[in-house]
Amino acid sequence: MKDLPVEIQPEMCKVTDALGILVGKWKPVILLHLLNSGTQRFNELKRSLPGITQKMLTNQLRELEEEDIIERKVYAQVPPKVEYSVTEYGRSLEPILHAMHEWGAKHTIHKQSKKHNQAEAK
Amino acid sequence: MKDLPVEIQPEMCKVTDALGILVGKWKPVILLHLLNSGTQRFNELKRSLPGITQKMLTNQLRELEEEDIIERKVYAQVPPKVEYSVTEYGRSLEPILHAMHEWGAKHTIHKQSKKHNQAEAK
DNA sequence: ATCCACAGTATCCTTTTCTATACTATACCA
DNA sequence: TGGTATAGTATAGAAAAGGATACTGTGGAT
């Protein structure tokens, strides 16, 4: 998703900013996983996210790190050890994620009852 | 953004569902505009969203309509008249949008102070 | 000597999203 | 008779996101 022109309305752009951080095929899942399970190593995450490629995982983690949502801690060891965790600041997203989860759950029901009504109307 | 495998975690998928509705370069702007300004005709919207193409506007409006977030009302006239408005149900997204706006605003500040700190640390 | 685990890069390719531009029908107005 | 406004559709192409696969370095175990 590319950026919107800032001119449109100052207020709107803040929403898109927030959205930008959550957008990406794997970002919400990674975040929720780290919130649930706490600190995780790279390969632990990878194993928990069936289907993700290493490239994507690295890439999404880096983007979240950029925004100070998660933290990356490298241990000077061989084989390497890198731990990821949600920052204190990152936790401020929790209420939003929670609200979205609630809304999403209701929406699933809403769509089903809509379908049902349409079927009845025939 | 493609769908995530449902297997990962039921909880997570609801967040992505909600996100899916807001995702699209112009969807949040369109929604916020309709929430602020009430019912709008196609070309009114177009004029309020500098840079959007007709195709994109149609397309994003259709996707929001699909999800029952907005309503499309066609008047049998020539030249055509079509009005768009947020549904009662669509308004249930307002708290989330509001929360994202608030968070986005704080995030802008957060990023700036981070930059500032980094500059100082040199 | 060979293989494994770890945390990545690098490269190429496909799919999805977004943009640009041209085109449609029809009533009304000058 | 030609031009305007409305709400679109059609087509082609560029750009961005995501996927598949192969490769890297290194210490320890077999």
Side-chain angles (χ1 to χ4, degrees), chain A residues 41 43 54 58 62 72 80-82 84:
Chain A
R41 295 181 62 174
N43 270 4
Q54 280 178 276
T58 312
R62 293 287 142 82
R72 180 167 176 267
K81 177 175 173 184
V82 180
Y84 291 93

Side-chain angles (χ1 to χ4, degrees), chain A residues 14-30:
Chain A
K14 296 306 163 194
V15 173
T16 355
D17 283 356
L19 220 41
I21 282 158
L22 272 355
V23 165
K25 182 166 172 185
W26 299 93
K27 274 187 216 160
V29 213
I30 291 171

